[in-house]
Amino acid sequence: MTVIQDLSGVWQLRGDDVDLPATVPGCVHTDLLAAGRIPDPFLDGNEHEVAWVGRADWTYHREIAWDGPRHDRVDLVFEGLDTVARIELGGELLGETRNMHRTYRFDVTSKIKINTLLSVRLNSAYAEADAVRDVVGPRPNAYPEPFPFIRKMACSFGWDWGPTLVTAGIWRPVRLEGWSTARIATVRPLCTYRSDVGPEGLGKLDLTAEIERVRDRALRAQVLLDGLPIALLDLAAGETVIHAELDVAGVTPWNPRGHGEAALHDLTVVLLDGFDGETEIDRWERRVGFRTVALDRSPDEAGTRFVFHINDQPVLIKGVNWIPDDIFPSSMTRERYALRLRQAADAGVNLIRVWGGGIYEDRAFYEVCDELGLMVWQDFLFACACYPEEEPIRSEVIAEARDNVTRLSPHPSLITWNGNNENLWLRDASGWASMPGGDLSWGPAYYLDILPAIVAELDPSRPYQAGSPWSGSWDHEPNDPDHQTFHSWEVWNRQDYAHYRDSAPRFVAEFGWQAPPAWRTLRDAVSDEPLLPDSPGVLHHQKAEDGNGKLARGLAAHFPAAGSTEAWHYLTQLNQVRAVRTGIEHWRSHWPHTGGTIVWQLNDLWPVTSWAAIDGAGRFKPLYHALREMHADRALTIQPRGVAVLNDTAEVWDGLVLVESRSDDGVVLSSVSHQVSVPARGVTVVPGLSPEAGAAIVVATLGEARALWFASDATSADAGLTVTAESVPGGLDVRVHATGVARDVLLQADRIHSSATVDQGFVTLLPGESTVLHVRAPVPLDPGSVKALWVLTDLATACAPVPVPKEVVK
């Protein structure tokens, strides 16, 4: 039986003038931080003060010994080395690595003695990238860093939302494995589901297992599902591959969030010694799910569709883009993955796109997605650059792809492989072909030939797409909104968010609008006094090209000039919500012509002004709460062509749509109603419900669903707010009542306490309406804290020259 000896824990780290304890898994930056050798790179401009770390060479070392029973073979296994490593054991070279995204295994059976020194020397990623560039020639990319020349997390070199903190380390677990006779090297269980076979359907298990041997004898493999044997497979002496296609009756299918149970089954493969057919020598276990994925990319009169079908049912995608949740990914834990992904699910999200400038995430990430019913769109790791197709990169790309397609294949949540992020589009759109190196190889062989061939061989159960965006062929411009996937960045970069309504793309895989992080997150990261939108620290934590200029132009189209940094902060948060809402609701009203949206982005990896809904400290921006409303299974939206009734449930939605025209003080001027019957998973647009001439507000309701439209972006009317704060177990209940029209009331809980949270974002109240905001914290809160300036604000207050605190009744 395979025996594992974990080598995680305390190692020693050495570099120039550095010799200190290190933690494995980990990275040099976190070790230096723990030892007080570098300042916090998230604070002010300290990012620049620690840049030297990424240009230095480092060595991790410790003594190891095999403490387990005697085996035919002992392997040293690294699940992740970042990135350019030379591994020595007892002074003898085991091997060299040049890829952060691969697993490495070394036979140390004859090399490991008692207290043998294991040394991992990590050379600077910059030095490696520069050396490769010298061999293959320059290549254009979107950022002035050499990430295309090394197989490493690209965004560690900086991005338009991230710092340049180029890591090195043993970033995933390392262990010794002792085994005899044979071991299970890999298992690829491709689990699909047929709903058209019998009343309960039928599971199909296409199982491939690769076996590594040290003894040439017959073996057997027993396959169990939920503890029950479903197959016993013989492996003759010398054979190294087991393959079987099995029908599995009575399984419950895995369904995406909102479409049924995300059912999982325990799959076990037990390797038995063929000598007696009973002695277990290795075991592989995972939870798998049976489901079928298809991607409708057929032509129609408008262009080319892009609609996912899971278990033969079309699924509206309500997605978010995921970047690494920590610039130091070795810091991630299963608990943190579970927290962040649960937050996504609670915001109505049903798909996570793992973006191509990051990493293939840890097994825990995909297991949590499996459990939550969150679909995963997995990019191969290419982003925003021309990538050389020659050696030494080419063979690394192939090995990396094969490694990770195999590793991730058991997860039912993974529904599609995507070749790259924006590379097929940007080469021409950004004029890269005319830049130095633009006439050299740039990556299409990967996306159009090599990667699809690997997926077809190893994982034909999932659709592959060449890139995002991609129109399906060179017959159309890659970012053509009428054909397959589209990235909407003209809006934000150059246009007001109202222009989201100019088109109905077939699938919007990226779009977004910036806002700063929560106030406490910003203040913890920036010590500027006074704190201004353009003070040095704030600008340092804004990585987008002309980001603050775009924020300012976006505000100018809708609001008067902000009278303070606090007002700027409030208004930029509001503009982010309004922009994203405009896009999602417009495109959702065109389902299934538009197959879905993937908002850029869910999360941040440090405190920064960005497109995220959850900031780098894990605090919710108001956008997070708004996503829950935009993704609601049943919702209304008022569009220029009418009131759209959105029904993403399995039941018909019948009811009376009531549309009221109101004056600016909320008085009803007229109303009209219309009976609707919206089909399951459908949309109905009720035309002709135009507001009365001169109406300032339009209110549409259907049951508990409501949508609002305002003739003006801003307001100066007195909302007549009364605020009552009551102490309750765990925090405060804050009741807000309006006698007028209170637009965009926002309570910023982090202004009360750094750990406080609130359950709503922007809330608009009509005359006579109330809402209760639930503020929670791990410490008692003073009800009077709600009356402090900017803790609770509405739009009229934010646009006023001098804010006035709200009256609070304790």
Side-chain angles (χ1 to χ4, degrees):
M1 188 68 179
T2 298
V3 175
I4 292 175
Q5 185 174 317
D6 188 9
L7 297 181
S8 300
V10 179
W11 289 51
Q12 199 72 12
L13 174 66
R14 287 180 182 168
D16 291 342
D17 300 321
V18 172
D19 191 348
L20 51 83
T23 299
V24 172
C27 76
V28 173
H29 286 84
T30 53
D31 292 328
L32 294 173
L33 272 170
R37 297 295 296 267
I38 60 172
D40 181 357
F42 291 0
L43 179 63
D44 294 329
N46 287 346
E47 171 194 353
H48 298 314
E49 300 300 315
V50 303
W52 63 272
V53 176
R55 296 188 177 275
D57 298 333
W58 302 93
T59 299
Y60 285 82
H61 65 91
R62 62 164 285 180
E63 289 185 339
I64 65 171
W66 174 247
D67 298 330
R70 181 179 179 86
H71 280 86
D72 293 343
R73 174 94 163 254
V74 177
D75 289 341
L76 174 64
V77 183
F78 291 93
E79 292 189 17
L81 289 166
D82 180 13
T83 294
V84 185
R86 178 183 175 89
I87 302 101
E88 295 181 355
L89 184 63
E92 181 178 348
L93 177 65
L94 293 181
E96 296 178 322
T97 74
R98 284 175 168 78
N99 195 321
M100 180 181 182
H101 310 300
R102 293 178 58 189
T103 295
Y104 295 95
R105 178 179 291 267
F106 303 99
D107 179 1
V108 297
T109 311
S110 61
K111 300 176 178 64
I112 191 166
K113 312 297 182 184
I114 296 175
N115 298 327
T116 309
L117 182 67
L118 173 59
S119 173
V120 179
R121 177 179 173 84
L122 297 163
N123 293 338
S124 166
Y126 278 111
E128 170 73 5
D130 290 344
V132 172
R133 181 169 49 196
D134 290 344
V135 171
V136 302
R139 296 296 193 286
N141 73 61
Y143 301 98
E145 293 282 341
F147 63 87
F149 303 100
I150 184 169
R151 297 309 298 161
K152 174 178 172 59
M153 184 174 91
C155 65
S156 68
F157 290 91
W159 222 259
D160 58 2
W161 34 257
T164 301
L165 294 169
V166 179
T167 53
I170 304 173
W171 77 287
R172 279 183 168 160
V174 54
R175 62 185 180 273
L176 291 171
E177 283 189 11
W179 55 279
S180 297
T181 304
R183 72 177 188 91
I184 301 173
T186 65
V187 177
R188 284 184 287 113
L190 307 182
C191 302
T192 55
Y193 182 76
R194 289 189 59 184
S195 58
D196 61 341
V197 180
E200 296 182 352
L202 180 68
K204 307 281 286 186
L205 172 59
D206 185 338
L207 180 73
T208 302
E210 296 179 344
I211 307 301
E212 185 177 10
R213 295 172 168 273
V214 289
R215 298 189 184 186
D216 194 14
R217 63 201 300 174
L219 303 171
R220 307 188 84 180
Q222 187 175 46
V223 183
L224 302 96
L225 191 70
D226 296 328
L228 300 176
I230 59 173
L232 187 61
L233 308 171
D234 290 320
L235 192 68
E239 292 182 349
T240 58
V241 177
I242 299 169
H243 180 254
E245 296 182 7
L246 306 172
D247 290 342
V248 187
V251 298
T252 302
W254 184 93
N255 289 288
R257 193 163 188 83
H259 286 254
E261 180 186 359
L264 297 173
H265 298 269
D266 295 318
L267 178 65
T268 304
V269 179
V270 180
L271 189 63
L272 304 171
D273 192 329
F275 181 76
D276 59 12
E278 296 181 358
T279 301
E280 179 178 331
I281 57 177
D282 204 1
R283 173 181 289 253
W284 179 96
E285 297 174 306
R286 293 288 189 279
R287 301 188 78 197
V288 300
F290 292 83
R291 85 287 176 274
T292 299
V293 183
L295 184 49
D296 183 358
R297 290 176 280 195
S298 61
D300 61 15
E301 65 282 357
T304 312
R305 299 178 178 91
F306 197 89
V307 178
F308 283 99
H309 290 245
I310 310 296
N311 300 329
D312 303 319
Q313 298 298 315
V315 176
L316 170 67
I317 298 301
K318 307 170 185 176
V320 288
N321 282 275
W322 170 278
I323 66 172
D325 203 52
D326 199 305
I327 190 63
F328 308 126
S330 58
S331 299
M332 291 298 294
T333 63
R334 173 177 285 273
E335 292 73 24
R336 186 159 155 192
Y337 278 124
L339 171 65
R340 197 70 72 237
L341 291 167
R342 167 56 67 182
Q343 289 168 341
D346 289 346
V349 168
N350 65 8
L351 179 141
I352 308 286
R353 177 190 171 203
V354 181
W355 167 79
I359 59 175
Y360 304 99
E361 292 289 347
D362 184 78
R363 173 176 161 185
F365 172 93
Y366 303 94
E367 288 181 340
V368 173
C369 288
D370 294 341
E371 295 162 6
L372 293 176
L374 287 170
M375 297 172 283
V376 175
W377 162 322
Q378 178 68 56
D379 281 14
F380 287 100
L381 301 186
F382 303 89
C384 303
C386 293
Y387 283 81
E389 298 171 4
E390 295 81 23
E391 295 296 352
I393 298 296
R394 187 185 189 91
S395 57
E396 287 293 345
V397 166
I398 293 170
E400 167 193 316
R402 297 185 69 87
D403 190 336
N404 285 283
V405 170
T406 297
R407 180 173 73 91
L408 301 183
S409 64
H411 297 285
S413 56
L414 200 163
I415 66 164
T416 186
W417 294 99
N418 176 52
N420 75 90
N421 176 75
E422 299 188 341
N423 298 345
L424 293 165
W425 169 40
L426 289 182
R427 184 170 186 266
D428 288 337
S430 295
W432 289 346
S434 62
M435 297 180 184
D439 58 342
L440 302 175
S441 67
W442 58 277
Y446 296 139
Y447 322 133
L448 301 176
D449 300 315
I450 293 172
L451 294 175
I454 291 172
V455 172
E457 174 195 353
L458 300 180
D459 188 12
S461 69
R462 296 171 174 91
Y464 170 87
Q465 47 188 307
S468 183
W470 178 237
S471 60
S473 75
W474 292 115
D475 293 339
H476 309 284
E477 191 269 330
N479 201 32
D480 188 326
D482 294 330
H483 298 276
Q484 299 195 30
T485 52
F486 178 70
H487 289 195
S488 179
W489 287 117
E490 279 297 299
V491 180
W492 163 250
N493 281 325
R494 281 170 277 276
Q495 297 176 330
D496 182 64
Y497 62 74
H499 287 279
Y500 284 135
R501 296 195 183 105
D502 290 350
S503 66
R506 307 316 302 268
F507 189 98
V508 184
E510 277 190 24
F511 83 106
W513 200 271
Q514 273 200 350
W519 184 259
R520 174 48 52 194
T521 302
L522 184 62
R523 283 274 46 174
D524 286 347
V526 178
S527 60
D528 296 349
E529 292 296 347
L531 184 75
L532 301 172
D534 59 354
S535 60
V538 175
L539 290 179
H540 182 76
H541 289 78
Q542 163 62 277
K543 295 295 188 178
E545 182 180 2
D546 190 31
N548 269 26
K550 293 168 185 175
L551 283 175
R553 290 189 290 275
L555 291 177
H558 300 279
F559 305 113
S564 66
T565 302
E566 290 83 356
W568 170 84
H569 183 266
Y570 168 97
L571 291 172
T572 51
Q573 298 281 355
L574 178 57
N575 228 29
Q576 181 184 40
V577 168
R578 289 190 179 183
V580 175
R581 186 186 300 277
T582 298
I584 286 183
E585 292 186 350
H586 164 68
W587 292 318
R588 187 174 169 184
S589 75
H590 285 275
W591 163 261
H593 173 93
T594 300
T597 57
I598 309 180
V599 176
W600 188 270
Q601 65 214 62
L602 174 68
N603 55 328
D604 270 327
L605 45 63
W606 80 310
V608 65
T609 296
S610 83
W611 299 264
I614 303 174
D615 74 19
R619 294 187 175 96
F620 296 160
K621 292 156 73 168
L623 175 61
Y624 172 82
H625 299 288
L627 287 176
R628 186 171 58 230
E629 301 163 4
M630 302 172 204
H631 291 148
D633 288 340
R634 288 183 168 177
L636 299 179
T637 174
I638 300 173
Q639 297 293 316
R641 70 189 197 281
V643 176
V645 187
L646 315 173
N647 180 21
D648 190 24
T649 74
E651 306 296 330
V652 175
W653 190 9
D654 292 320
L656 194 68
V657 177
L658 175 65
V659 179
E660 297 175 335
S661 296
R662 298 195 180 206
S663 63
D664 59 2
D665 57 2
V667 174
V668 176
L669 304 175
S670 63
S671 64
V672 61
S673 61
H674 188 90
Q675 184 70 36
V676 296
S677 182
V678 186
R681 312 293 181 190
V683 174
T684 294
V685 178
V686 182
L689 299 184
S690 302
E692 180 176 304
I697 308 169
V698 176
V699 183
T701 56
L702 173 56
E704 295 182 356
R706 182 168 86 170
L708 300 172
W709 173 89
F710 290 86
S712 172
D713 289 311
T715 180
S716 59
D718 182 6
L721 288 179
T722 302
V723 181
T724 305
E726 177 187 1
S727 293
V728 297
L732 301 174
D733 281 354
V734 181
R735 184 177 184 273
V736 184
H737 179 78
T739 57
V741 178
R743 292 189 65 178
D744 301 305
V745 176
L746 179 67
L747 192 153
Q748 299 180 66
D750 59 288
R751 288 178 177 269
I752 299 175
H753 187 274
S754 61
S755 298
T757 62
V758 65
D759 63 340
Q760 297 185 64
F762 290 106
V763 179
T764 292
L765 303 174
L766 298 177
E769 292 183 342
S770 301
T771 191
V772 177
L773 305 169
H774 301 96
V775 180
R776 297 295 180 260
V779 297
L781 300 177
D782 176 10
S785 61
V786 178
K787 69 181 180 181
L789 281 175
W790 299 103
V791 169
L792 192 144
T793 313
D794 67 346
L795 182 57
T797 302
C799 292
V802 179
V804 178
K806 304 300 175 190
E807 289 297 325
V808 178
V809 180
K810 292 189 180 181

